[in-house]
Amino acid sequence: MTSSPTIPVLPGLGTTWYERGTRYWLRRVRTAVMLLIIMAFLCFAAVSLYQGFRTVLPPGVRPVWDQAQVVAACGAPVWGWVVRRRRHHKDLLDPPAPDGFRSRKRDEARRSTGLALAGRAAVLFAAPVMPALAAWCVGWCAAMLTVREYPSEVGARQALERIHRLPGDKKRLR
């Protein structure tokens, strides 16, 4: 008698990714709403920081710099979108297995702590271009949220398919 393999639990999605029902889409919407709130705060902070930088510019330079920021802020979301979508396509070619995904996320979290500390000082130097940076982040997040399925889902689905094909030989999975 063969027992069916358990469905892997994915961070943020639990086991809802398997059937992609109402609970799955509610989790995806919840993630989108949380990122929307974070992006709104980021954009507010970016514009506030930029306004503070603007006050130290000579009055004749302000309109020119503002126009440059408008152009950069219009192109940056497209650039962020393209960067994220390329990364997504690359990740889909070699999706992580559930355990590999967890270890990758742990490594990213470990690195992000150091980057966050270093980023605090960099924000002061980035003040002249903060609106464009915030716009890039908005494009990146929008591309991340609008994919059909995440690479972690694809990897978990492939892992389950391998288990179903090789019911008695789990050593060959690696």
Side-chain angles (χ1 to χ4, degrees):
M1 181 184 233
T2 28
S3 64
S4 64
T6 59
I7 299 169
V9 177
L10 297 179
L13 296 174
T15 59
T16 63
W17 63 270
Y18 186 72
E19 291 183 12
R20 295 176 66 97
T22 305
R23 288 179 45 230
Y24 170 81
W25 291 107
L26 286 174
R27 284 179 178 227
R28 293 267 313 245
V29 167
R30 180 190 68 191
T31 301
V33 168
M34 285 184 350
L35 268 176
L36 180 65
I37 292 168
I38 291 169
M39 287 293 101
F41 177 73
L42 174 70
C43 290
F44 172 75
V47 170
S48 298
L49 192 60
Y50 176 72
Q51 286 176 342
F53 165 76
R54 233 180 134 257
T55 59
V56 299
L57 288 175
V61 177
R62 286 181 195 162
V64 175
W65 194 263
D66 288 344
Q67 290 171 359
Q69 281 303 303
V70 168
V71 170
C74 288
V78 175
W79 181 28
W81 177 280
V82 169
V83 166
R84 181 63 199 147
R85 283 301 172 126
R86 285 182 181 162
R87 176 63 189 209
H88 180 73
H89 290 301
K90 181 181 170 193
D91 288 346
L92 284 178
L93 293 175
D94 185 25
D99 293 334
F101 178 74
R102 286 184 197 91
S103 68
R104 185 187 297 180
K105 282 296 178 189
R106 273 193 304 271
D107 291 343
E108 286 176 7
R110 208 172 293 127
R111 280 193 309 265
S112 66
T113 304
L115 291 174
L117 294 174
R120 290 179 185 168
V123 164
L124 298 176
F125 296 110
V129 292
M130 279 304 287
L133 286 173
W136 185 90
C137 290
V138 167
W140 190 92
C141 287
M144 180 191 70
L145 293 172
T146 56
V147 297
R148 197 173 62 106
E149 63 183 347
Y150 298 126
S152 60
E153 295 175 63
V154 174
R157 197 170 307 280
Q158 287 176 354
L160 280 178
E161 288 172 2
R162 282 193 300 267
I163 290 171
H164 281 298
R165 273 186 274 152
L166 308 168
D169 191 6
K170 292 183 182 181
K171 291 179 185 175
R172 289 178 48 192
L173 290 177
R174 292 186 178 126

